[in-house]
Amino acid sequence: SALARRVVLVGRQRRPAVAAEFRARQVAFAQAFVAGAGGGFAVHLVGHSNGPLYAQYLLIHTSQDWKNKYIHGFTPIAGAWPGQGRVG
């Protein structure tokens, strides 16, 4: 469906030192995905666990014009946000 084609899962990255490489791959992927689908819509990022941190990195390190063109939204699921206390 059209909705399913918009969702891009932001995977967990095990080595934070490669964050810039991760950003470059995600930028290229989003651009190719939107172009391959004929344009007209942007992707919605979904991140789980550590994925939201990488989505946040991507969103912070891209221009507003790029985000307006390629990103529809961002949904974090059970993210490990800095400052989050440990329960239990």
Side-chain angles (χ1 to χ4, degrees):
S1 73
L3 178 60
R5 293 184 323 183
R6 290 184 183 172
V7 175
V8 176
L9 294 175
V10 179
R12 195 167 103 176
Q13 188 70 303
R14 296 186 187 274
R15 293 175 37 207
V18 298
E21 180 183 322
F22 169 81
R23 184 190 68 83
R25 285 194 322 264
Q26 290 302 107
V27 164
F29 176 79
Q31 291 171 343
F33 188 82
V34 170
F41 68 87
V43 297
H44 188 98
L45 301 173
V46 177
H48 177 262
S49 187
N50 286 338
L53 297 175
Y54 285 90
Q56 181 183 28
Y57 180 88
L58 173 69
L59 296 172
I60 288 172
H61 292 90
T62 50
S63 71
Q64 188 62 50
D65 288 338
W66 187 88
K67 289 182 278 197
N68 291 344
K69 183 173 182 178
Y70 294 104
I71 303 297
H72 175 262
F74 167 47
T75 303
I77 300 173
W81 298 106
Q84 176 178 330
R86 184 175 173 188
V87 177

